[in-house]
Amino acid sequence: MNSIGIIGGSIIGLSTAEAILEDYPEAKIVVYSDQFTPHTTADVSSGLVLPYLFGECDNVNTLKGWMDMTIKQLSNVAHIDEEASSAITVISGYKLWKKKPIETGEPFQSCFLGFREAAPLELSQFSADGRYAHGEFLTTFQCDCSKYLPYIMKKLIGKGVQFVEKKISSLDDIAHLGHSIVVNTTGFYAHLLTDDKEIRPYKGQILIAKAPWVKHFFIEVDGDSYIIPKSDYLVVGGTHDADTSSILNKSTSIKIWKEACEMLPGIRTGTVIGERLGIRPGRSSVRMELEHRRTKCGKDYTVLHHYGQWPCRVRSICALGKRKSSIIFA
Ligand SMILES: Cc1cc2nc3c(=O)[nH]c(=O)nc-3n(C[C@H](O)[C@H](O)[C@H](O)COP(=O)(O)OP(=O)(O)OC[C@H]3O[C@@H](n4cnc5c(N)ncnc54)[C@H](O)[C@@H]3O)c2cc1C
């Protein structure tokens, strides 16, 4: 059996390892990563299964298929595994528009567990100044990666997967370590290992706040603000800047809080307890591609590039990953 080296120890890397083992329980897998949970971008994410900032080349029907599969998979895991069920929850909330969009109607409506247009009275309840002209209320899944990643990592260790903390400087290095198959799940940082010119940063700065009375999410579609409860705190966002610096901007944090308080005045009495940032892997579409390569020393190996997605696509991507793994094992 070929030996597989996965670069990237976050949600896509670990889910890929899991998917490969479902098809090939005997597979030998080593995961190389310079960061593991709680230091990955996925740990920063809100983990909502809700298409957001998807690429212009992503086909809506393909995304719908991935969403359906994702929701099914998350639901299965949450039902059969008590430990996972603390990471995977069902959550409801609002998408809000200050200006009524010309075309209303959510393209992913059929994927959600529940969906309806918000009533005017409902919209006036949380923003006293009547700032929202249109709203949608929906129910979906949420995967809290800071709980899910430790769970899945433990499961993989139990199945013999090895984890190595290491920064990889070239794909060839993994082939030289004896792996004939390399899976590249490095998210935004894939641009450092490949010549992919398409990948670009969508930096997200967020605040962590305590306001335990907020149970729903609120996302301004024609603005930047969002408030999303996770199991232990609120994520208050945010930005999606074309910026790669890892420095938190104080004035951005102040702006995020001010705008969130305007969106939902009820959180004013909450407490900001932290700030975080992560870089989303922006791309016109997900890269799921096989590449056959040869090292300078003449060693042939196969790379499965597997990046440019967000966690909500995780399991469905893995289902695709399974098909790809059949190709690479064939
Ligand atoms: C503020 C914010 C909010 C978000 N909210 C949501 C949301 O609600 N819903 C949603 O679906 N998505 C959300 N996302 C997006 C989501 O976090 C990412 O899409 C997701 O983390 C991608 O997972 P990944 O495994 O591909 O990459 P990452 O999580 O970025 O992990 C990449 C891994 O590769 C490793 N790595 C990279 N380069 C190397 C190298 N050279 N050598 C060794 N290891 C390497 C890293 O250490 C890391 O472990 C959000 C993101 C941000 C920043």
Side-chain angles (χ1 to χ4, degrees):
M1 171 83 49
N2 291 315
S3 160
I4 302 162
I6 296 179
I7 319 173
S10 183
I11 191 74
I12 301 297
L14 301 197
S15 302
T16 304
E18 197 185 30
I20 292 170
L21 286 173
E22 276 169 21
D23 278 1
Y24 304 96
E26 305 301 318
K28 270 179 62 82
I29 302 178
V30 183
V31 178
Y32 300 90
S33 197
D34 57 348
Q35 302 280 3
F36 289 101
T37 184
H39 303 295
T40 69
T41 311
D43 286 285
V44 180
S45 85
S46 314
L48 272 192
V49 180
L50 181 66
Y52 176 61
L53 301 176
F54 53 92
E56 58 271 23
C57 296
D58 280 327
N59 176 294
V60 170
N61 284 332
T62 308
L63 293 183
K64 273 182 170 172
W66 289 349
M67 267 193 76
D68 283 342
M69 291 162 79
T70 301
I71 286 180
K72 209 162 151 191
Q73 295 271 17
L74 288 176
S75 158
N76 283 344
V77 180
H79 280 116
I80 57 163
D81 202 312
E82 208 177 302
E83 208 180 329
S85 64
S86 72
I88 299 166
T89 44
V90 168
I91 184 167
S92 301
Y94 294 89
K95 282 173 77 175
L96 301 163
W97 284 257
K98 284 181 268 193
K99 262 194 181 163
K100 192 171 166 97
I102 301 165
E103 269 184 49
T104 56
E106 162 66 59
F108 300 98
Q109 182 171 336
S110 60
C111 307
F112 298 126
L113 308 180
F115 179 89
R116 63 177 169 78
E117 212 171 278
L121 180 63
E122 205 174 356
L123 294 177
S124 67
Q125 292 306 304
F126 51 86
S127 72
D129 62 358
R131 63 173 44 213
Y132 295 114
H134 180 71
E136 292 168 355
F137 183 81
L138 59 98
T139 303
T140 186
F141 270 87
Q142 183 180 36
C143 177
D144 184 339
C145 288
S146 48
K147 292 198 167 154
Y148 190 67
L149 288 173
Y151 154 80
I152 186 173
M153 213 161 153
K154 200 166 88 185
K155 232 172 103 183
L156 292 172
I157 290 170
K159 291 182 177 177
V161 175
Q162 288 177 48
F163 290 87
V164 177
E165 193 176 324
K166 186 178 171 71
K167 187 171 176 72
I168 303 299
S169 49
S170 95
L171 296 172
D172 284 6
D173 288 354
I174 301 295
H176 287 136
L177 286 166
H179 303 287
S180 51
I181 296 166
V182 177
V183 187
N184 174 16
T185 67
T186 49
F188 167 69
Y189 303 94
H191 73 285
L192 299 173
L193 293 176
T194 65
D195 53 7
D196 186 349
K197 302 273 182 290
E198 261 206 57
I199 193 153
R200 57 196 185 278
Y202 276 125
K203 179 168 136 184
Q205 181 167 325
I206 53 158
L207 305 178
I208 307 289
K210 283 275 181 196
W213 55 92
V214 180
K215 306 290 184 203
H216 290 102
F217 61 80
F218 300 86
I219 300 172
E220 225 174 49
V221 181
D222 51 1
D224 292 329
S225 296
Y226 60 86
I227 296 172
I228 302 174
K230 281 174 84 170
S231 35
D232 302 324
Y233 52 80
L234 272 192
V235 172
V236 182
T239 61
H240 36 86
D241 299 332
D243 173 17
T244 55
S245 92
S246 54
I247 297 167
L248 282 158
N249 185 317
K250 278 284 156 203
S251 59
T252 302
S253 290
I254 293 167
K255 182 170 171 274
I256 291 173
W257 186 246
K258 181 178 166 285
E259 288 178 356
C261 291
E262 283 165 10
M263 175 163 73
L264 188 69
I267 66 160
R268 273 196 193 116
T269 49
T271 319
V272 176
I273 55 169
E275 300 152 283
R276 293 195 74 181
L277 61 81
I279 302 184
R280 302 176 184 91
R283 216 173 174 276
S284 61
S285 65
V286 172
R287 185 171 186 204
M288 274 283 294
E289 206 175 296
L290 284 179
E291 185 189 3
H292 298 288
R293 292 173 61 110
R294 177 167 292 171
T295 67
K296 280 190 187 125
C297 314
K299 187 177 185 319
D300 290 317
Y301 67 104
T302 303
V303 183
L304 169 61
H305 295 287
H306 198 342
Y307 58 82
Q309 56 283 90
W310 63 87
C312 91
R313 296 174 179 179
V314 141
R315 292 298 317 193
S316 42
I317 278 287
C318 283
L320 291 174
K322 275 190 210 172
R323 288 217 303 273
K324 290 281 184 191
S325 67
S326 317
I327 296 169
I328 49 187
F329 277 108

